Structure formats: C-alpha cells, structure tokens
Amino acid sequence: MDTKAQFINLANSPKFNFFLLRKLPAAYFCGVRIKSLSEASCSVSVPFKWFSQNPFGSTYFACLAMAAELSTGALAMANVYKRKPGVSMLVLKMEAEYFKKAKGKTIFTCSDGAAFDRVIDEAIETREPRELTAFSEGRNESGELVATLKISWTFRVRTT
C-alpha cells in the first residue's frame, strides 16, 4: 500500500480523532471531524453545539474555518505523508465568504485532490516551493451554501 493510501486509511479511521486531540485540540473540542477522505476529495463536518457557538445563535466563524482548512489540509497531508524527500506544508492565506447562519451541522468539501498531487510532485521535482489555492464549500444539512473558503498552501522540499 502506498503512503497516500496509508494516510487515507488512517484519516478514515477512529484513530484520526486522537491525532486531532493531540495536534489540533481546538478543532477536536469544537467537534470538527473528517466524514470522508479519498484521493480526489475530503469532506469535514462541524456541528453547532455549545463549544462551537457564537453569541448570535450560530456556529462561530473560526470553527467553520477550521473545518474548511481541514478539508483542504487532509488532502495535502495525504500527499506529503511519509514522502521521501520530506515536504513541508504551510497555510499562507485564507479568504472566506459567509452566506448563511450555520445553525446545525455544516459539511465542508474540497475536491482539489488532483491539484494537490500535481503541485506537490512539482515541488519535489523542481526543488522549488510551490503554492496552491484550494477551494472548500460549506453546506448545511439542507444542502444550502453556508460559506466558501479559499485556502492557499505552500509546499517546500525539506532540506536534510
């Protein structure tokens, strides 16, 4: 099994919640969870609950942003997991538009898996940093658009 498939299996298992607790505790306590991850796309949910609420009766924008970031970041992590040479990844910029109050579960989906694959391969081949702006769309349980986020990632081959 290749390393990308290993990461996808790990992220789709209950073990990934332990990773969230250790490395992204704010996301864990807000209830951010990967619903599905494949080579092509990732869907991440965030509930409306006491820990993720704002004073206006909806999900706090930062909790929505965490879910959107994870929907893009999981695709990036799948492509850099155990790569030789190692590749570092970092968020450079985020743009968000919010259209509707998030009063229940919101699911963010990023379908840019092929773009992550291509850009990370380019960074390895050229040994030059590469950037990718990924798109994540958040919808409520009725399928209505709640928010869209553009998250720009940079990838660089680690020097040994």
Side-chain angles (χ1 to χ4, degrees), residues 1-157:
M1 182 182 303
D2 72 347
T3 58
K4 188 186 301 185
Q6 287 175 0
F7 182 83
I8 290 170
N9 284 341
L10 176 64
N12 285 316
S13 76
K15 291 179 184 179
F16 196 74
N17 290 337
F18 183 65
F19 169 82
L20 284 176
L21 179 60
R22 285 187 53 235
K23 299 295 183 180
L24 297 167
Y28 177 83
F29 287 114
C30 288
V32 173
R33 299 294 184 270
I34 290 180
K35 286 184 55 73
S36 66
L37 174 62
S38 69
E39 288 193 21
S41 68
C42 182
S43 293
V44 174
S45 66
V46 61
F48 171 68
K49 62 181 190 175
W50 178 81
F51 209 82
S52 64
Q53 72 180 338
N54 64 27
F56 311 109
S58 60
T59 305
Y60 184 51
F61 82 95
C63 296
L64 297 171
M66 282 189 278
E69 180 192 5
L70 184 56
S71 74
T72 64
L75 290 168
M77 288 189 296
N79 280 283
V80 302
Y81 183 69
K82 295 185 178 180
R83 286 292 283 263
K84 301 288 186 222
V87 177
S88 67
M89 52 186 266
L90 183 66
V91 172
L92 289 177
K93 179 172 69 170
M94 182 190 82
E95 291 180 49
E97 288 186 83
Y98 299 94
F99 304 105
K100 186 171 189 66
K101 277 187 163 189
K103 293 184 174 188
K105 183 187 289 186
T106 306
I107 299 171
F108 283 88
T109 301
C110 177
S111 299
D112 294 332
F116 278 105
D117 192 34
R118 178 183 45 78
V119 167
I120 293 167
D121 283 347
E122 283 178 12
I124 291 170
E125 288 172 18
T126 65
R127 300 282 182 170
E128 295 291 326
R130 290 291 185 258
E131 185 179 326
L132 172 69
T133 299
F135 182 78
S136 185
E137 186 175 83
R139 295 189 175 270
N140 63 20
E141 293 170 299
S142 299
E144 299 167 305
L145 186 63
V146 173
T148 58
L149 283 87
K150 295 177 187 174
I151 301 173
S152 297
W153 291 90
T154 183
F155 302 95
R156 182 181 56 81
V157 173

